[in-house]
Amino acid sequence: ISYYHVNDNPPFDDYFGTGDAMQAALRKAEGIAPLPDPAVLVGEPGCPFDEMAYCIHRHSRQASGPFLILDCRLINQKTWDFLFMDRKSPLFARRNTLCFQNAGTLTDAQRDTMIAYLGEAMAHGNRLIFIFAESGGDPSSLELHLRRHALYSTIRLPALRERPADIPGIAAHYVNLLN
C-alpha cells in the first residue's frame, strides 16, 4: 500500500503536458472528482495513472483524507483477507480514496469480493479508483462488470506518442526535479 500525503502538491500542469488530449482528460477528471461514483482510468502501460488518480483525489470530497494505492498484482491472500475482512483495514475507514492499480489482474473470486465491497465503500464515503493498463488484450472481468452495470466514470489517458507536443514540457519537469 502506498500513501500520498495531503500536503503533497505536485505541479500537474507541467507533468501532464498542455496538449489537447491530456487537457481533455484533466478536465474530465476534475468534472468527475466531486461525484461519489468509482472512477476507472484506462490507457496503455506507462500512462500517468497514479498522478491522474491523485488529481481526482485532490478535487474530491475525500481530499482531506488519505489517498492509498493498492497494487492488485502484489496483494497475496493474507493481505487480501485483511483488506476485505478485518474492520481495521483502510477499506473500512471513512473518507479514503482507494486506488486499485492493475485491477485487471484480480482473480474471479477477488473480483466478486470487490464487487460486493463497492456498495459498502460508498456507504463509508470512500472513493474508489480502478486502473486498467491496456496491453491490447480483452478487458478484465471486473472492468466488464463495471461497464455492464454503468457503475463508474471512465477517463482514457492518451499515450505519450499521441501527444508529442507534451514531450518538451515533461522533459523540463524531470530536469527541474533533478536540479
Side-chain angles (χ1 to χ4, degrees), residues 62-177:
Q62 293 79 6
S64 63
F67 174 73
L68 301 111
I69 298 176
L70 299 102
D71 189 337
C72 295
R73 290 178 307 184
L74 304 177
I75 298 175
N76 61 27
Q77 191 60 45
K78 183 177 179 181
T79 303
W80 185 263
D81 290 343
F82 166 75
L83 286 171
F84 286 93
M85 294 180 194
D86 191 317
R87 291 294 170 180
K88 295 178 185 172
S89 161
L91 273 61
F92 294 103
R94 298 203 178 276
R95 299 186 59 81
N96 287 336
T97 298
L98 306 161
C99 178
F100 293 90
Q101 288 178 331
N102 302 300
T105 63
L106 295 175
T107 66
D108 288 343
Q110 290 172 329
R111 178 211 57 217
D112 294 342
T113 302
M114 180 67 71
I115 291 167
Y117 171 73
L118 288 173
E120 189 161 343
M122 293 177 75
H124 285 283
N126 288 337
R127 178 61 177 273
L128 302 179
I129 300 172
F130 298 98
I131 295 175
F132 295 96
E134 302 167 336
S135 54
D138 293 329
S140 76
S141 56
L142 176 61
E143 186 178 3
L144 290 173
H145 173 84
L146 292 169
R147 281 185 192 174
R148 264 194 313 275
H149 297 284
L151 293 174
Y152 67 92
S153 300
T154 302
I155 299 173
R156 184 187 171 287
L157 299 180
L160 189 56
R161 75 172 167 281
E162 297 172 21
R163 48 193 185 99
D166 290 344
I167 294 172
I170 294 169
H173 171 78
Y174 282 109
V175 167
N176 286 336
L177 286 177

Side-chain angles (χ1 to χ4, degrees), residues 50-71:
D50 297 350
E51 293 80 4
M52 183 64 78
Y54 187 64
C55 184
I56 292 169
H57 168 72
R58 283 188 27 219
H59 293 90
S60 74
R61 293 182 214 157
Q62 293 79 6
S64 63
F67 174 73
L68 301 111
I69 298 176
L70 299 102
D71 189 337

